Structure formats: structure tokens, C-alpha cells
Amino acid sequence: MTKTQLIGEIYKAFEGVTLEDGVGLWEGRALDDRIQDMTEYNRLKTKDEREDWQKIPIVDLYKCNSSLSFFDAKGMRFHLGLLLLFDLEVFLAEEDELHEDKTFKHFPPEVRFALTYQLESDYSRDRFSLLNTPQITCVVHFLEYALQEKEQYMQQYAVTPNARFDKHYKELVHAITHWKVKALIQ
């Protein structure tokens, strides 16, 4: 699958998904910051886009990069399309603008980690539980694309596999298998 095909598949699979009463980016940040003041918590929560994930500014993904760890199932389903596109560098122009500002000190969300780490845990099962078959298929294709990129990089630069590289490679292969099984169960 080409990058262009994958991008189209993602847009289609996540089209029309809303946040409903799920945890959004800013609420996730409030949870991560352990904000106890309900006025401040609600102020952040009201900043969340709830209807159209395509309207979320890329800068918010950076400012709320830890929110990925605090999404519930509705939050994950709502944001995942955007996060996959973000990792595929669809928004590179916007990111380049952010990085031109030397005072901007935020890191990007770790999408691949979220899709590969401890997938058998109750935590992961719960937060990915609302994904439908086309959305899970997007995850499979996304991870296969990531694996293909890794293999091409190794060939192009004659990289000799090492322990760290092998670990990431094996995690991707394991995650692809996990997500394929999940798609079959749907």
C-alpha cells in the first residue's frame, strides 16, 4: 500500500467520528497534570474539539502530547485518525512552522508506541475497544507501512541490525499480528 492510499484509507475510516463524551486532548492534559481545581479542569476540557477531529490544530497535538496515554475508548477513536496522519507527516508544513519558533519546546505524541506497547493489557484492550474493522485495518496498514519504511531504511543505508533495532522491529511485527487478529475478531 502506498502512503497516498493509506492516507485516503485513514480519512475514510475515521470520517464522521465524534468525541461524544470521551476524553479529549486538553482534558487528557489536565489528567496528566493532575489538575484538581475543577474550574481549571473544566476550562481545559472546554478547549477540546468534539465534533470534527480534522479541525484540531497540530500545535495542540504537541502541547497535549501526553494525552494519548489518557484517552478513553471514545477519545482514542476520535483522535486516532489525526494521530496516524500526523505520524505519516501529512502536516509537515504546519510542523515546520512550529519548529521555526525556537521557544517552542513541545514534543510530538508517540503514536507508534501507543499502537505497539503492551497491547494485551486491559488498559490497551479498553482504549482500543471501540475501533471498528475499517479503523483496525488502517492500524494494520499503518504499522505495515512503518515496517516497510524500516526495512527500506536498512537496505538504503546498509544498516546492520543491532539489539535496539531488532527490538523495535520485533515489536512492529508482533503488533501487526495482534492488530490483524483483532480485525478478524470484529
Side-chain angles (χ1 to χ4, degrees), residues 136-151:
I136 293 169
T137 301
C138 282
V139 172
V140 171
H141 291 159
F142 170 81
L143 293 172
E144 288 174 339
Y145 183 83
L147 186 65
Q148 178 185 340
E149 278 185 324
K150 198 171 277 294
E151 290 169 343

Side-chain angles (χ1 to χ4, degrees), residues 34-128:
R34 295 178 180 89
I35 293 178
Q36 308 238 339
D37 175 8
M38 288 312 291
T39 303
E40 177 62 10
Y41 185 94
N42 288 328
R43 184 189 71 77
L44 287 171
K45 185 176 177 175
T46 59
K47 291 174 70 170
D48 281 324
E49 172 62 42
R50 304 194 87 70
E51 298 301 319
D52 185 354
W53 56 267
Q54 294 182 55
K55 290 182 180 178
I56 297 173
I58 298 309
V59 67
D60 287 359
L61 290 181
Y62 277 86
K63 289 181 177 179
C64 302
N65 61 8
S66 65
S67 295
L68 186 56
S69 298
F70 294 90
F71 289 151
D72 59 0
K74 290 178 181 178
M76 183 58 74
R77 180 183 58 194
F78 180 70
H79 295 93
L80 189 55
L82 179 64
L83 291 164
L84 294 173
L85 295 169
F86 173 81
D87 191 271
L88 290 168
E89 299 181 334
V90 170
F91 310 106
L92 208 48
E94 292 95 323
E95 288 185 77
D96 287 345
E97 278 184 42
L98 293 174
H99 296 298
E100 286 176 12
D101 177 359
K102 300 302 179 202
T103 63
F104 190 76
K105 302 290 184 197
H106 301 280
F107 296 100
E110 296 187 23
V111 182
R112 293 181 191 198
F113 179 78
L115 297 173
T116 59
Y117 184 70
Q118 294 187 350
L119 296 172
E120 290 82 13
S121 70
D122 289 340
Y123 167 70
S124 286
R125 273 195 299 277
D126 289 346
R127 70 188 191 140
F128 293 116

